[in-house]
Amino acid sequence: CFSSSSPPGRDQIVEMFDHAYGSYMKYAYPADELMPLSCRGRVRGQEPNRGDIDDSLGNRPCVSVCEQVLNKLDEFEDAVRKTVSDVRLDNDVVVSVFETNIRVLGGLLGAHVMADLLRQRGERMQWYRDELLHMAKELGHRLLPAFNTTSGLPYPKVNLRYGVLNPLSRTGTESDTCTACAGTMILEFAALSRLSGESVFEANARKALDVLWERRQRGSDLVGTVINIHNEEWVRRDSGVGAGIDSYYEYLMKAYILLGDNVFLERFNIHYSAIMKYISQPPLLLNVHMHNPTVSVRSWMDSLLAFFPGLQVLRGDLKPAIETHEMLYQVTKQHKFLPEAFTTEFRVHWGQHLLRPEFAESTYYLYKATGDPYYLRVGQSIVEKLNAYARVPCGFAAVQDVRTGTHEDRMDSFFLAEMFKYLYLLFSEKSELPIDIDDYIFTTEAHLLPVSLSTTKPPCQGNNTETVPVAQEEDLFTHSCPSMETLFPNNPSFAKTIRDGYKYLTGVGRAFHPLPVREIELPLH
Protein backbone atom coordinates (compact mmCIF):
# COMPACT_ATOMS: atom_id res chain seq x y z
CA CYS A 1 0.00 0.00 0.00
CA PHE A 2 2.98 2.34 0.38
CA SER A 3 5.60 3.62 -2.01
CA SER A 4 9.23 2.83 -1.26
CA SER A 5 10.00 6.52 -1.05
CA SER A 6 7.87 7.15 2.06
CA PRO A 7 9.88 8.50 5.01
CA PRO A 8 11.16 6.00 7.59
CA GLY A 9 8.77 7.39 10.23
CA ARG A 10 5.68 6.38 8.28
CA ASP A 11 6.94 2.93 7.32
CA GLN A 12 7.82 2.35 10.95
CA ILE A 13 4.32 3.34 12.09
CA VAL A 14 2.74 0.95 9.57
CA GLU A 15 4.98 -1.90 10.74
CA MET A 16 4.04 -1.18 14.38
CA PHE A 17 0.35 -1.04 13.55
CA ASP A 18 0.63 -4.35 11.66
CA HIS A 19 2.31 -5.87 14.73
CA ALA A 20 -0.37 -4.59 17.15
CA TYR A 21 -3.44 -5.14 14.97
CA GLY A 22 -2.11 -8.40 13.57
CA SER A 23 -1.56 -9.69 17.11
CA TYR A 24 -5.09 -8.69 18.08
CA MET A 25 -6.57 -10.47 15.04
CA LYS A 26 -4.37 -13.56 15.52
CA TYR A 27 -4.65 -14.04 19.27
CA ALA A 28 -7.70 -12.08 20.48
CA TYR A 29 -10.40 -11.61 17.83
CA PRO A 30 -13.36 -11.55 18.41
CA ALA A 31 -12.65 -10.59 22.04
CA ASP A 32 -12.80 -6.93 23.07
CA GLU A 33 -9.10 -6.52 23.64
CA LEU A 34 -5.76 -8.29 23.38
CA MET A 35 -3.81 -9.41 26.45
CA PRO A 36 -0.35 -8.98 24.96
CA LEU A 37 1.63 -10.87 27.62
CA SER A 38 -0.72 -13.87 27.68
CA CYS A 39 -1.20 -13.75 23.88
CA ARG A 40 -4.97 -14.19 24.16
CA GLY A 41 -8.14 -12.13 24.15
CA ARG A 42 -9.73 -10.44 27.13
CA VAL A 43 -13.28 -11.76 27.30
CA ARG A 44 -15.40 -10.09 29.92
CA GLY A 45 -16.43 -12.50 32.65
CA GLN A 46 -13.61 -14.93 31.93
CA GLU A 47 -10.83 -12.80 33.41
CA PRO A 48 -10.55 -11.42 36.97
CA ASN A 49 -12.87 -8.41 37.31
CA ARG A 50 -11.07 -5.06 37.12
CA GLY A 51 -14.02 -2.95 38.27
CA ASP A 52 -14.83 0.17 36.27
CA ILE A 53 -12.11 -0.58 33.70
CA ASP A 54 -14.18 -3.48 32.39
CA ASP A 55 -17.23 -1.25 31.87
CA SER A 56 -15.68 -0.26 28.54
CA LEU A 57 -15.86 -3.91 27.46
CA GLY A 58 -19.08 -5.34 26.12
CA ASN A 59 -18.07 -8.53 24.32
CA ARG A 60 -17.79 -6.61 21.05
CA PRO A 61 -14.65 -6.68 18.89
CA CYS A 62 -12.96 -3.34 18.38
CA VAL A 63 -14.00 -1.30 15.33
CA SER A 64 -11.54 1.23 13.94
CA VAL A 65 -10.89 3.19 10.77
CA CYS A 66 -7.13 2.99 11.29
CA GLU A 67 -6.79 0.81 8.20
CA GLN A 68 -8.53 3.45 6.10
CA VAL A 69 -6.30 6.31 7.27
CA LEU A 70 -3.19 4.14 6.86
CA ASN A 71 -4.34 3.37 3.31
CA LYS A 72 -4.81 -0.32 4.08
CA LEU A 73 -8.04 -0.56 2.16
CA ASP A 74 -8.15 -4.35 1.80
CA GLU A 75 -7.79 -4.73 5.56
CA PHE A 76 -10.44 -2.07 6.13
CA GLU A 77 -12.94 -3.82 3.90
CA ASP A 78 -12.21 -7.13 5.62
CA ALA A 79 -12.71 -5.51 9.05
CA VAL A 80 -16.08 -4.10 7.96
CA ARG A 81 -17.19 -7.55 6.73
CA LYS A 82 -16.14 -9.14 10.02
CA THR A 83 -17.90 -6.47 12.08
CA VAL A 84 -21.14 -6.89 10.14
CA SER A 85 -21.07 -10.69 10.36
CA ASP A 86 -19.69 -11.19 13.89
CA VAL A 87 -20.80 -8.33 16.15
CA ARG A 88 -24.09 -8.56 18.02
CA LEU A 89 -25.26 -5.77 20.31
CA ASP A 90 -28.09 -7.58 22.16
CA ASN A 91 -25.85 -8.58 25.06
CA ASP A 92 -26.89 -8.91 28.72
CA VAL A 93 -23.94 -6.83 29.86
CA VAL A 94 -23.59 -3.61 31.85
CA VAL A 95 -21.38 -1.08 30.06
CA SER A 96 -20.19 2.48 30.54
CA VAL A 97 -22.39 4.82 28.50
CA PHE A 98 -19.43 7.16 27.93
CA GLU A 99 -16.93 4.48 26.86
CA THR A 100 -19.42 2.65 24.67
CA ASN A 101 -20.32 5.91 22.97
CA ILE A 102 -16.79 7.05 22.19
CA ARG A 103 -15.30 3.63 21.41
CA VAL A 104 -18.07 1.58 19.81
CA LEU A 105 -20.66 4.05 18.50
CA GLY A 106 -17.90 6.40 17.30
CA GLY A 107 -16.10 3.48 15.66
CA LEU A 108 -19.23 2.31 13.86
CA LEU A 109 -20.03 5.83 12.62
CA GLY A 110 -16.47 6.57 11.50
CA ALA A 111 -16.21 3.24 9.71
CA HIS A 112 -19.60 3.81 8.04
CA VAL A 113 -18.51 7.23 6.77
CA MET A 114 -15.34 5.72 5.27
CA ALA A 115 -17.15 2.69 3.80
CA ASP A 116 -19.70 5.01 2.21
CA LEU A 117 -16.91 7.16 0.77
CA LEU A 118 -15.16 4.15 -0.77
CA ARG A 119 -18.47 2.90 -2.16
CA GLN A 120 -19.12 6.29 -3.79
CA ARG A 121 -15.68 6.26 -5.38
CA GLY A 122 -16.75 3.05 -7.13
CA GLU A 123 -13.51 1.14 -6.55
CA ARG A 124 -14.55 -1.14 -3.68
CA MET A 125 -17.21 -1.72 -0.99
CA GLN A 126 -19.89 -2.01 -3.68
CA TRP A 127 -21.57 -4.68 -1.54
CA TYR A 128 -21.97 -2.28 1.40
CA ARG A 129 -25.58 -1.34 2.23
CA ASP A 130 -25.12 0.93 5.30
CA GLU A 131 -24.93 -2.06 7.65
CA LEU A 132 -22.63 -0.20 10.06
CA LEU A 133 -25.04 2.74 10.22
CA HIS A 134 -27.88 0.35 11.06
CA MET A 135 -25.72 -1.14 13.82
CA ALA A 136 -24.90 2.35 15.08
CA LYS A 137 -28.59 3.19 15.20
CA GLU A 138 -29.34 0.00 17.13
CA LEU A 139 -26.56 0.80 19.60
CA GLY A 140 -27.80 4.37 19.96
CA HIS A 141 -31.24 3.09 20.91
CA ARG A 142 -29.65 0.71 23.43
CA LEU A 143 -27.86 3.66 25.07
CA LEU A 144 -30.91 5.95 25.14
CA PRO A 145 -32.47 4.48 28.34
CA ALA A 146 -29.54 5.99 30.24
CA PHE A 147 -30.97 9.45 29.53
CA ASN A 148 -34.26 8.65 31.28
CA THR A 149 -33.58 10.92 34.27
CA THR A 150 -35.43 13.97 35.55
CA SER A 151 -32.38 16.16 34.88
CA GLY A 152 -31.46 14.86 31.42
CA LEU A 153 -27.98 13.90 32.64
CA PRO A 154 -27.41 10.25 31.67
CA TYR A 155 -26.85 7.36 34.04
CA PRO A 156 -23.17 6.35 33.88
CA LYS A 157 -24.02 2.71 33.05
CA VAL A 158 -26.60 0.86 31.00
CA ASN A 159 -27.41 -2.77 30.29
CA LEU A 160 -27.33 -3.24 26.54
CA ARG A 161 -30.23 -5.71 26.65
CA TYR A 162 -32.34 -4.52 29.59
CA GLY A 163 -31.61 -0.79 29.83
CA VAL A 164 -31.46 0.87 33.24
CA LEU A 165 -34.65 0.45 35.27
CA ASN A 166 -35.56 -3.14 34.30
CA PRO A 167 -35.20 -5.53 37.30
CA LEU A 168 -32.82 -7.60 35.16
CA SER A 169 -30.56 -4.66 34.26
CA ARG A 170 -28.25 -4.90 37.33
CA THR A 171 -27.75 -1.14 37.14
CA GLY A 172 -29.71 2.08 37.67
CA THR A 173 -28.72 2.58 41.31
CA GLU A 174 -25.95 5.06 40.50
CA SER A 175 -26.56 8.68 41.41
CA ASP A 176 -23.35 10.35 40.19
CA THR A 177 -21.57 10.77 36.88
CA CYS A 178 -18.46 12.63 35.77
CA THR A 179 -18.69 15.83 33.76
CA ALA A 180 -16.89 14.28 30.80
CA CYS A 181 -19.16 11.22 30.98
CA ALA A 182 -22.29 13.35 30.53
CA GLY A 183 -20.68 15.96 28.27
CA THR A 184 -18.97 13.75 25.68
CA MET A 185 -21.97 12.51 23.73
CA ILE A 186 -22.75 15.33 21.30
CA LEU A 187 -20.43 14.48 18.38
CA GLU A 188 -21.46 10.83 18.07
CA PHE A 189 -25.13 11.38 18.92
CA ALA A 190 -25.49 14.41 16.60
CA ALA A 191 -23.74 12.55 13.78
CA LEU A 192 -26.05 9.59 14.35
CA SER A 193 -29.09 11.88 14.22
CA ARG A 194 -27.89 13.63 11.05
CA LEU A 195 -27.05 10.34 9.30
CA SER A 196 -30.16 8.44 10.40
CA GLY A 197 -32.71 11.26 10.43
CA GLU A 198 -33.75 10.40 14.01
CA SER A 199 -33.48 13.57 16.10
CA VAL A 200 -33.80 11.86 19.49
CA PHE A 201 -30.06 11.19 19.85
CA GLU A 202 -28.89 14.74 19.25
CA ALA A 203 -31.71 16.12 21.41
CA ASN A 204 -30.62 14.05 24.41
CA ALA A 205 -26.95 14.93 24.03
CA ARG A 206 -27.79 18.64 23.77
CA LYS A 207 -29.98 18.45 26.89
CA ALA A 208 -27.11 16.96 28.91
CA LEU A 209 -24.80 19.76 27.74
CA ASP A 210 -27.45 22.35 28.63
CA VAL A 211 -27.57 21.03 32.22
CA LEU A 212 -23.78 21.12 32.63
CA TRP A 213 -23.71 24.67 31.26
CA GLU A 214 -26.50 25.81 33.59
CA ARG A 215 -24.76 24.21 36.57
CA ARG A 216 -21.39 25.90 35.98
CA GLN A 217 -20.19 28.07 38.83
CA ARG A 218 -21.40 31.51 37.73
CA GLY A 219 -18.62 33.37 39.52
CA SER A 220 -15.74 31.45 37.95
CA ASP A 221 -17.44 29.87 34.86
CA LEU A 222 -15.82 26.57 35.85
CA VAL A 223 -17.44 23.15 36.24
CA GLY A 224 -16.73 20.44 38.78
CA THR A 225 -15.65 16.86 38.20
CA VAL A 226 -18.62 14.78 39.42
CA ILE A 227 -22.31 15.74 39.44
CA ASN A 228 -25.48 14.12 40.80
CA ILE A 229 -27.67 13.04 37.88
CA HIS A 230 -30.91 13.45 39.84
CA ASN A 231 -30.62 16.76 41.71
CA GLU A 232 -27.87 18.30 39.53
CA GLU A 233 -25.72 19.13 42.59
CA TRP A 234 -21.94 18.94 42.32
CA VAL A 235 -20.44 16.00 44.20
CA ARG A 236 -16.79 16.81 43.50
CA ARG A 237 -16.04 20.47 43.06
CA ASP A 238 -12.42 20.33 41.94
CA SER A 239 -11.98 21.74 38.45
CA GLY A 240 -9.22 21.11 35.91
CA VAL A 241 -8.75 19.99 32.31
CA GLY A 242 -7.71 16.38 32.98
CA ALA A 243 -9.54 13.24 34.08
CA GLY A 244 -13.27 13.64 34.68
CA ILE A 245 -13.70 16.90 32.73
CA ASP A 246 -11.30 16.80 29.75
CA SER A 247 -13.49 15.83 26.81
CA TYR A 248 -16.42 18.03 27.94
CA TYR A 249 -14.37 21.06 26.90
CA GLU A 250 -13.08 19.25 23.81
CA TYR A 251 -16.61 18.43 22.65
CA LEU A 252 -17.91 21.99 23.08
CA MET A 253 -15.24 23.23 20.66
CA LYS A 254 -15.60 20.31 18.26
CA ALA A 255 -19.42 20.44 18.32
CA TYR A 256 -19.13 23.96 16.93
CA ILE A 257 -16.73 22.74 14.22
CA LEU A 258 -18.93 19.75 13.31
CA LEU A 259 -22.36 21.35 13.60
CA GLY A 260 -21.71 25.05 13.04
CA ASP A 261 -23.87 25.98 16.04
CA ASN A 262 -22.58 29.20 17.61
CA VAL A 263 -23.88 28.31 21.06
CA PHE A 264 -21.16 25.71 21.50
CA LEU A 265 -18.40 28.14 20.55
CA GLU A 266 -19.76 30.79 22.91
CA ARG A 267 -19.82 28.33 25.78
CA PHE A 268 -16.36 27.04 24.98
CA ASN A 269 -14.90 30.54 24.84
CA ILE A 270 -16.38 31.46 28.22
CA HIS A 271 -15.01 28.26 29.78
CA TYR A 272 -11.67 28.76 28.03
CA SER A 273 -11.26 32.25 29.47
CA ALA A 274 -11.88 30.80 32.94
CA ILE A 275 -9.37 27.98 32.33
CA MET A 276 -6.68 30.43 31.26
CA LYS A 277 -7.44 32.69 34.21
CA TYR A 278 -7.48 30.08 36.98
CA ILE A 279 -6.23 26.65 35.87
CA SER A 280 -3.42 27.53 33.46
CA GLN A 281 -0.17 28.47 35.15
CA PRO A 282 2.16 27.94 32.18
CA PRO A 283 3.47 25.42 31.67
CA LEU A 284 1.33 23.78 34.37
CA LEU A 285 -2.39 23.01 34.31
CA LEU A 286 -3.56 22.76 37.92
CA ASN A 287 -6.80 21.69 39.55
CA VAL A 288 -8.62 24.38 41.50
CA HIS A 289 -11.83 24.58 43.52
CA MET A 290 -14.67 25.69 41.25
CA HIS A 291 -16.07 28.00 43.95
CA ASN A 292 -12.69 29.34 45.09
CA PRO A 293 -10.52 29.05 41.99
CA THR A 294 -7.52 30.98 43.29
CA VAL A 295 -6.55 27.99 45.45
CA SER A 296 -5.06 24.81 44.01
CA VAL A 297 -6.54 21.61 45.40
CA ARG A 298 -3.78 19.13 44.62
CA SER A 299 -0.10 19.10 43.84
CA TRP A 300 -0.19 16.70 40.89
CA MET A 301 -1.40 16.55 37.30
CA ASP A 302 -2.80 13.56 35.40
CA SER A 303 -1.68 12.39 31.98
CA LEU A 304 -5.10 12.89 30.36
CA LEU A 305 -4.51 16.66 30.32
CA ALA A 306 -1.92 16.01 27.59
CA PHE A 307 -4.75 16.43 25.06
CA PHE A 308 -5.18 20.09 26.02
CA PRO A 309 -2.35 21.61 23.93
CA GLY A 310 -4.02 20.06 20.88
CA LEU A 311 -7.32 21.70 21.82
CA GLN A 312 -5.51 25.00 22.31
CA VAL A 313 -4.13 24.67 18.77
CA LEU A 314 -7.71 24.32 17.49
CA ARG A 315 -8.56 27.45 19.46
CA GLY A 316 -5.52 29.24 17.99
CA ASP A 317 -3.80 29.82 21.33
CA LEU A 318 -0.37 28.53 20.38
CA LYS A 319 1.93 29.98 23.02
CA PRO A 320 0.47 28.17 26.04
CA ALA A 321 0.02 25.04 23.88
CA ILE A 322 3.75 25.06 23.09
CA GLU A 323 4.61 25.68 26.75
CA THR A 324 2.50 22.86 28.20
CA HIS A 325 3.52 20.43 25.45
CA GLU A 326 7.19 21.17 26.12
CA MET A 327 6.66 20.51 29.83
CA LEU A 328 5.06 17.15 28.99
CA TYR A 329 7.90 16.29 26.62
CA GLN A 330 10.44 16.99 29.37
CA VAL A 331 8.51 14.64 31.67
CA THR A 332 8.60 11.87 29.03
CA LYS A 333 12.33 12.41 28.62
CA GLN A 334 12.78 11.91 32.35
CA HIS A 335 10.43 8.92 32.78
CA LYS A 336 10.34 7.38 29.24
CA PHE A 337 6.53 7.74 29.21
CA LEU A 338 4.03 10.09 30.79
CA PRO A 339 3.15 8.60 34.19
CA GLU A 340 -0.58 8.40 34.84
CA ALA A 341 -0.02 11.22 37.33
CA PHE A 342 3.01 13.38 38.16
CA THR A 343 3.69 16.15 40.67
CA THR A 344 4.16 19.84 39.99
CA GLU A 345 7.87 19.10 40.54
CA PHE A 346 7.62 16.46 37.74
CA ARG A 347 8.14 13.45 39.99
CA VAL A 348 6.06 10.29 39.60
CA HIS A 349 2.80 10.38 41.57
CA TRP A 350 1.21 7.31 39.94
CA GLY A 351 3.64 5.35 37.80
CA GLN A 352 1.27 3.45 35.50
CA HIS A 353 1.32 4.18 31.74
CA LEU A 354 -1.52 2.72 29.66
CA LEU A 355 -0.07 3.63 26.23
CA ARG A 356 -2.30 6.70 26.20
CA PRO A 357 -2.26 8.67 22.92
CA GLU A 358 -3.00 12.22 24.14
CA PHE A 359 0.62 13.41 24.03
CA ALA A 360 1.00 12.10 20.44
CA GLU A 361 -2.29 13.82 19.56
CA SER A 362 -1.04 17.22 20.76
CA THR A 363 2.29 16.65 19.01
CA TYR A 364 0.41 16.10 15.73
CA TYR A 365 -1.66 19.27 16.14
CA LEU A 366 1.39 21.38 17.01
CA TYR A 367 3.36 20.14 14.03
CA LYS A 368 0.48 20.84 11.64
CA ALA A 369 0.07 24.32 13.14
CA THR A 370 3.74 25.32 13.21
CA GLY A 371 5.48 23.17 10.61
CA ASP A 372 8.36 23.03 13.09
CA PRO A 373 10.40 19.83 12.48
CA TYR A 374 11.07 19.72 16.22
CA TYR A 375 7.69 18.04 16.59
CA LEU A 376 8.67 15.34 14.10
CA ARG A 377 11.59 14.58 16.42
CA VAL A 378 9.19 14.43 19.35
CA GLY A 379 7.05 11.98 17.37
CA GLN A 380 10.11 9.90 16.55
CA SER A 381 10.95 9.72 20.26
CA ILE A 382 7.43 8.42 20.99
CA VAL A 383 7.93 5.72 18.34
CA GLU A 384 11.35 4.72 19.68
CA LYS A 385 10.15 4.47 23.28
CA LEU A 386 7.12 2.39 22.33
CA ASN A 387 9.36 -0.05 20.47
CA ALA A 388 12.04 -0.11 23.16
CA TYR A 389 9.92 -0.30 26.30
CA ALA A 390 6.38 -1.42 25.40
CA ARG A 391 6.76 -3.80 22.48
CA VAL A 392 6.32 -7.51 23.26
CA PRO A 393 6.02 -10.56 20.98
CA CYS A 394 2.20 -10.34 20.91
CA GLY A 395 1.67 -6.59 20.54
CA PHE A 396 2.42 -3.68 22.88
CA ALA A 397 1.95 -3.91 26.64
CA ALA A 398 1.01 -1.16 29.07
CA VAL A 399 3.64 -0.24 31.66
CA GLN A 400 2.72 -0.99 35.26
CA ASP A 401 5.26 1.47 36.65
CA VAL A 402 7.48 3.77 34.60
CA ARG A 403 10.11 3.65 37.37
CA THR A 404 10.64 -0.11 37.01
CA GLY A 405 9.47 -0.69 33.43
CA THR A 406 7.39 -3.72 34.41
CA HIS A 407 4.62 -4.57 31.95
CA GLU A 408 0.90 -5.03 32.45
CA ASP A 409 -1.14 -7.56 30.48
CA ARG A 410 -3.33 -5.04 28.63
CA MET A 411 -3.40 -3.21 25.33
CA ASP A 412 -6.44 -0.94 25.38
CA SER A 413 -8.44 -0.41 22.21
CA PHE A 414 -7.68 3.33 22.25
CA PHE A 415 -4.05 2.46 21.56
CA LEU A 416 -5.04 0.91 18.23
CA ALA A 417 -7.70 3.51 17.43
CA GLU A 418 -5.67 6.62 18.22
CA MET A 419 -1.93 6.23 18.71
CA PHE A 420 -1.02 4.91 15.26
CA LYS A 421 -3.43 7.26 13.52
CA TYR A 422 -1.91 10.40 15.05
CA LEU A 423 1.66 9.18 14.52
CA TYR A 424 1.01 8.21 10.90
CA LEU A 425 -0.65 11.55 10.19
CA LEU A 426 2.23 13.35 11.89
CA PHE A 427 4.70 11.85 9.42
CA SER A 428 2.46 12.20 6.35
CA GLU A 429 1.90 14.98 3.87
CA LYS A 430 -1.73 15.74 3.05
CA SER A 431 -1.24 14.61 -0.55
CA GLU A 432 -0.15 11.15 0.65
CA LEU A 433 -3.43 10.40 2.45
CA PRO A 434 -6.39 8.57 0.88
CA ILE A 435 -8.76 11.25 2.22
CA ASP A 436 -8.60 15.01 2.71
CA ILE A 437 -8.06 15.05 6.47
CA ASP A 438 -9.25 18.68 6.70
CA ASP A 439 -12.75 17.52 5.76
CA TYR A 440 -13.06 15.65 9.06
CA ILE A 441 -13.09 16.28 12.79
CA PHE A 442 -11.58 13.80 15.24
CA THR A 443 -13.77 12.48 18.02
CA THR A 444 -12.08 12.05 21.39
CA GLU A 445 -11.30 8.46 20.35
CA ALA A 446 -9.84 9.68 17.01
CA HIS A 447 -12.74 8.43 14.90
CA LEU A 448 -13.41 10.67 11.91
CA LEU A 449 -16.69 12.49 11.31
CA PRO A 450 -17.19 14.71 8.22
CA VAL A 451 -17.60 18.43 8.91
CA SER A 452 -19.97 18.49 5.93
CA LEU A 453 -22.67 17.06 8.24
CA SER A 454 -23.71 20.57 9.24
CA THR A 455 -24.55 21.55 5.66
CA THR A 456 -25.49 18.31 3.90
CA LYS A 457 -27.61 16.99 6.77
CA PRO A 458 -29.77 19.78 8.24
CA PRO A 459 -30.29 19.94 12.01
CA CYS A 460 -33.16 17.91 13.34
CA GLN A 461 -36.36 19.88 13.92
CA GLY A 462 -36.36 21.86 17.17
CA ASN A 463 -32.85 20.78 18.04
CA ASN A 464 -31.09 24.13 18.20
CA THR A 465 -29.94 24.97 21.71
CA GLU A 466 -30.82 28.49 22.79
CA THR A 467 -28.69 30.34 25.31
CA VAL A 468 -28.80 33.69 27.00
CA PRO A 469 -25.83 35.75 25.77
CA VAL A 470 -23.15 36.12 28.42
CA ALA A 471 -20.75 39.05 28.43
CA GLN A 472 -17.24 37.80 27.69
CA GLU A 473 -13.85 39.18 26.87
CA GLU A 474 -13.09 38.63 23.20
CA ASP A 475 -9.70 38.18 21.60
CA LEU A 476 -8.25 37.58 18.16
CA PHE A 477 -9.45 33.96 18.05
CA THR A 478 -12.87 34.20 19.69
CA HIS A 479 -14.62 33.86 16.33
CA SER A 480 -11.89 33.02 13.82
CA CYS A 481 -9.25 30.41 13.11
CA PRO A 482 -5.57 31.28 13.55
CA SER A 483 -3.27 32.17 10.66
CA MET A 484 0.42 31.45 11.11
CA GLU A 485 1.30 34.19 8.63
CA THR A 486 -0.62 36.75 10.69
CA LEU A 487 0.62 35.51 14.04
CA PHE A 488 4.28 34.98 13.27
CA PRO A 489 5.21 36.60 9.93
CA ASN A 490 8.54 35.36 8.58
CA ASN A 491 9.53 33.86 11.92
CA PRO A 492 9.98 30.09 11.63
CA SER A 493 11.76 29.91 14.99
CA PHE A 494 8.95 31.40 17.10
CA ALA A 495 8.08 28.01 18.64
CA LYS A 496 11.72 27.40 19.59
CA THR A 497 11.88 30.79 21.29
CA ILE A 498 8.92 29.80 23.49
CA ARG A 499 10.28 26.29 24.19
CA ASP A 500 13.73 27.45 25.19
CA GLY A 501 12.41 28.85 28.45
CA TYR A 502 11.38 25.35 29.51
CA LYS A 503 14.36 23.35 28.29
CA TYR A 504 15.61 22.40 31.76
CA LEU A 505 12.23 22.23 33.45
CA THR A 506 12.64 18.79 35.03
CA GLY A 507 16.16 19.51 36.25
CA VAL A 508 17.88 17.39 33.60
CA GLY A 509 20.91 19.36 32.40
CA ARG A 510 21.19 21.95 35.16
CA ALA A 511 20.23 22.71 38.75
CA PHE A 512 16.50 22.30 39.28
CA HIS A 513 14.45 25.04 40.92
CA PRO A 514 10.81 24.09 41.46
CA LEU A 515 8.25 26.40 39.90
CA PRO A 516 6.27 28.51 42.35
CA VAL A 517 2.79 27.06 42.75
CA ARG A 518 -0.16 28.63 44.50
CA GLU A 519 -0.89 27.38 48.01
CA ILE A 520 -1.85 23.70 48.01
CA GLU A 521 -4.85 22.61 50.04
CA LEU A 522 -4.83 18.87 50.69
CA PRO A 523 -6.41 16.43 51.03
CA LEU A 524 -9.41 16.48 48.72
CA HIS A 525 -11.18 13.14 48.13
Side-chain angles (χ1 to χ4, degrees), residues 141-381:
H141 280 291
R142 293 185 182 279
L143 294 178
L144 276 182
F147 289 84
N148 188 19
T149 59
T150 51
S151 68
L153 294 171
Y155 282 95
K157 300 177 185 179
V158 69
N159 185 303
L160 286 180
R161 180 175 294 170
Y162 296 114
V164 173
L165 301 179
N166 186 304
L168 298 173
S169 68
R170 305 189 307 284
T171 189
T173 57
E174 303 87 3
S175 59
D176 304 338
T177 195
C178 74
T179 302
C181 301
T184 310
M185 307 294 292
I186 187 66
L187 292 191
E188 293 83 0
F189 268 41
L192 181 55
S193 281
R194 305 296 174 103
L195 290 167
S196 70
E198 295 188 24
S199 62
V200 62
F201 307 110
E202 185 173 338
N204 277 283
R206 282 177 178 262
K207 177 70 167 77
L209 283 178
D210 289 348
V211 175
L212 293 174
W213 173 249
E214 287 301 316
R215 297 304 298 170
R216 76 191 186 283
Q217 216 295 317
R218 299 299 174 102
S220 65
D221 285 320
L222 295 172
V223 292
T225 307
V226 176
I227 192 168
N228 185 292
I229 59 175
H230 301 300
N231 64 21
E232 305 175 23
E233 295 294 325
W234 291 106
V235 178
R236 280 187 53 186
R237 294 175 171 82
D238 46 324
S239 187
V241 296
I245 301 181
D246 48 3
S247 47
Y248 163 65
Y249 293 133
E250 177 188 2
Y251 269 38
L252 282 178
M253 180 70 183
K254 289 182 175 179
Y256 169 69
I257 296 170
L258 182 70
L259 305 173
D261 188 338
N262 275 322
V263 73
F264 297 123
L265 181 62
E266 290 165 9
R267 292 180 185 181
F268 174 79
N269 280 331
I270 289 167
H271 281 316
Y272 187 74
S273 295
I275 291 167
M276 298 312 290
K277 184 175 181 180
Y278 300 116
I279 291 169
S280 175
Q281 295 183 42
L284 308 180
L285 290 163
L286 299 176
N287 274 43
V288 300
H289 195 288
M290 63 185 288
H291 296 292
N292 185 12
T294 58
V295 175
S296 301
V297 296
R298 68 187 193 199
S299 58
W300 51 272
M301 296 170 278
D302 65 77
S303 65
L304 285 169
L305 61 76
F307 90 99
F308 197 68
L311 186 59
Q312 289 179 304
V313 170
L314 279 184
R315 171 64 169 52
D317 206 357
L318 284 173
K319 184 173 185 290
I322 291 166
E323 292 170 331
T324 297
H325 179 275
E326 183 61 22
M327 176 269 290
L328 295 168
Y329 184 40
Q330 297 297 329
V331 173
T332 66
K333 286 211 264 195
Q334 186 173 358
H335 300 297
K336 299 187 179 72
F337 298 106
L338 271 186
E340 195 72 349
F342 50 95
T343 69
T344 51
E345 296 182 352
F346 313 111
R347 298 189 180 99
V348 173
H349 181 77
W350 179 11
Q352 190 181 37
H353 175 73
L354 300 177
L355 309 179
R356 292 198 187 277
E358 286 80 11
F359 179 62
E361 174 186 359
S362 286
T363 304
Y364 161 70
Y365 277 112
L366 273 168
Y367 177 64
K368 295 305 174 186
T370 65
D372 190 332
Y374 176 84
Y375 296 109
L376 293 179
R377 296 195 291 276
V378 175
Q380 195 61 42
S381 81

Side-chain angles (χ1 to χ4, degrees), residues 114 257-258 314 364-365 368-369 425 428-431 433-442 448-453 481:
M114 294 303 161
I257 296 170
L258 182 70
L314 279 184
Y364 161 70
Y365 277 112
K368 295 305 174 186
L425 291 170
S428 299
E429 297 298 322
K430 278 180 64 175
S431 60
L433 300 174
I435 55 173
D436 185 345
I437 203 70
D438 291 339
D439 289 341
Y440 299 86
I441 186 79
F442 287 105
L448 294 170
L449 297 175
V451 293
S452 60
L453 277 181
C481 294

Side-chain angles (χ1 to χ4, degrees), residues 42 78 88-89 99 135 247 258 298 325 432-433 446 511:
R42 182 179 298 282
D78 183 54
R88 295 294 172 266
L89 299 166
E99 295 286 2
M135 292 174 70
S247 47
L258 182 70
R298 68 187 193 199
H325 179 275
E432 296 166 328
L433 300 174

Side-chain angles (χ1 to χ4, degrees), residues 379-391:
Q380 195 61 42
S381 81
I382 296 171
V383 169
E384 289 167 1
K385 283 168 180 165
L386 283 172
N387 277 322
Y389 304 112
R391 188 169 180 138

Side-chain angles (χ1 to χ4, degrees), residues 387-439:
N387 277 322
Y389 304 112
R391 188 169 180 138
V392 293
C394 296
F396 292 82
V399 179
Q400 202 164 42
D401 194 317
V402 296
R403 291 164 290 199
T404 62
T406 50
H407 285 138
E408 200 172 327
D409 200 6
R410 61 188 286 186
M411 185 180 86
D412 288 77
S413 64
F414 55 68
F415 179 66
L416 278 175
E418 300 182 65
M419 180 70 83
F420 297 114
K421 206 175 295 174
Y422 286 123
L423 289 174
Y424 183 79
L425 291 170
L426 172 66
F427 292 109
S428 299
E429 297 298 322
K430 278 180 64 175
S431 60
E432 296 166 328
L433 300 174
I435 55 173
D436 185 345
I437 203 70
D438 291 339
D439 289 341

